[in-house]
Amino acid sequence: MKNLFNISGKIAVVTGGSRGIGAMIARGFVENGAKTYICSRKEKDVTETAKNLSRYGECIGITADLSTVAGIEKFVSDIAAREEKIDILVNNAGAVWAAPLDEFPETGWDKIMDINLKSVFYLTQKFLPLLRASVRDDNLARIINIASVDGLSVPDFETYSYSASKAAVIHMTRTLAKRLAGEKILVNAIAPGAFPSHMTKEILEKNKQAMLKKIPLARIGEPEDIAGAALYLSTRASAYVTGTTLIVDGGWVETK
Ligand SMILES: NC(=O)c1ccc[n+]([C@@H]2O[C@H](COP(=O)([O-])OP(=O)(O)OC[C@H]3O[C@@H](n4cnc5c(N)ncnc54)[C@H](OP(=O)(O)O)[C@@H]3O)[C@@H](O)[C@H]2O)c1
């Protein structure tokens, strides 16, 4: 029982790992011995983060735009040129759009659905050969989809496409878990509450105190909170868990 959370020697891909939650998860993986690939659209950002994380282990940054299937195929082929298999895929890259109901634009719908939902499906599909290649009786491959508490409860903000995309990711996680269980590929999701990031910067600056009042544990999420959840869902500790969504929000949603 000593190595239940051992991720050492595994190969992981964390999409959108250049900052925020993706960088927190990538750091947790790298520090615990996993060779970790991160990506983002901005070469400078992803290179810099990969360089910083490489102080703790092995982290490689790749530039990619995951909003189209062509961009996803290019990203997967970049990884396939370097690796014969991957053990863990974290579908984390995402974006948010807020606008009043009467003005909500089509671009705010399509952009969010493309990166938050479509990319999760096609990254899974295109990475399957590399994930399948890592499966052994004692090594289940892992897919972790980063959803949100906004996919489980109605958000306070007018982020219509965002909350719909996250609810869809949670259900797609169940569907893919059922389909892939026989291939020893586990598919789970994490629904984070409030974590500091580029995405939440403005909301946290304006509403932090009000948000803290709603969170029973009375604090914003820290890197260890999300990295710990991802480590659990990547290791032997969770080998009997698939199709589930792990809520990491200080108790917010369950006590709403
Ligand atoms: N922070 C929270 O409190 C919170 C709560 C619930 C759920 N989440 C979820 O957690 C995930 C990460 O969010 P975050 O808060 O860490 O946001 P963030 O700081 O804005 O990070 C988003 C990441 O995704 C990348 N990205 C965005 N669009 C991309 C594209 N088309 N192709 C490739 N990469 C792309 C970004 O890099 P580039 O912009 O350089 O491409 C960046 O690395 C998202 O799925 C979000 O919905 C966050």
Side-chain angles (χ1 to χ4, degrees):
M1 296 274 181
K2 272 189 177 163
N3 292 317
L4 284 179
F5 295 87
N6 182 14
I7 200 180
S8 178
K10 306 235 167 159
I11 300 171
V13 173
V14 182
T15 68
S18 66
R19 59 174 192 248
I21 283 186
M24 296 174 200
I25 293 172
R27 181 171 171 185
F29 283 178
V30 172
E31 280 202 44
N32 284 281
K35 181 178 182 181
T36 305
Y37 288 87
I38 58 172
C39 77
S40 101
R41 287 165 299 182
K42 299 178 196 93
E43 189 178 356
K44 188 171 165 284
D45 291 5
V46 77
T47 306
E48 204 172 296
T49 303
K51 197 175 150 204
N52 286 338
L53 294 185
S54 291
R55 285 181 292 156
Y56 309 107
E58 203 171 354
C59 184
I60 301 109
I62 292 184
T63 312
D65 183 349
L66 307 177
S67 62
T68 64
V69 174
I72 289 167
E73 283 171 340
K74 161 107 181 32
F75 177 53
V76 174
S77 73
D78 285 348
I79 303 270
R82 294 167 166 85
E83 304 294 343
E84 287 176 358
K85 64 178 182 75
I86 66 163
D87 299 284
I88 304 150
L89 169 64
V90 182
N91 288 314
N92 163 79
V96 69
W97 194 300
L101 180 57
D102 290 293
E103 293 157 27
F104 204 91
E106 189 177 1
T107 43
W109 187 268
D110 291 345
K111 184 187 165 187
I112 299 312
M113 286 295 171
D114 283 351
I115 188 62
N116 289 9
L117 179 58
K118 186 177 84 175
S119 87
V120 174
F121 179 77
Y122 284 104
L123 280 157
T124 301
Q125 184 196 63
K126 305 296 177 198
F127 268 119
L128 272 178
L130 288 177
L131 287 161
R132 284 177 177 133
S134 74
V135 171
R136 297 184 311 271
D137 282 344
D138 62 346
N139 189 56
L140 310 179
R142 313 297 179 118
I143 299 170
I144 302 170
N145 298 325
I146 305 303
S148 168
V149 288
D150 288 358
L152 291 163
S153 68
V154 177
D156 293 334
F157 304 101
E158 292 194 274
T159 50
Y160 300 101
S161 51
Y162 182 80
S163 51
S165 73
K166 295 300 183 179
V169 163
I170 288 167
H171 195 60
M172 192 167 69
T173 298
R174 298 186 188 109
T175 312
L176 290 169
K178 186 172 179 182
R179 168 62 182 81
L180 292 170
E183 298 195 46
K184 295 192 163 59
I185 300 173
L186 306 187
V187 190
N188 291 291
I190 296 174
F195 282 76
S197 75
H198 175 75
M199 185 183 283
T200 54
K201 192 170 184 286
E202 207 182 311
I203 294 172
L204 284 176
E205 273 168 12
K206 286 187 189 155
N207 302 296
K208 189 170 174 185
Q209 290 314 318
M211 287 170 86
L212 288 179
K213 281 191 189 138
K214 294 182 190 173
I215 302 172
L217 290 177
R219 67 172 174 83
I220 299 302
E222 294 169 4
E224 288 79 359
D225 300 319
I226 205 79
L231 274 173
Y232 167 64
L233 290 176
S234 300
T235 53
R236 175 63 186 87
S238 64
Y240 199 46
V241 177
T242 198
T244 200
T245 294
L246 180 56
I247 304 171
V248 185
D249 70 344
W252 185 1
V253 162
E254 294 294 7
T255 60
K256 225 174 170 185

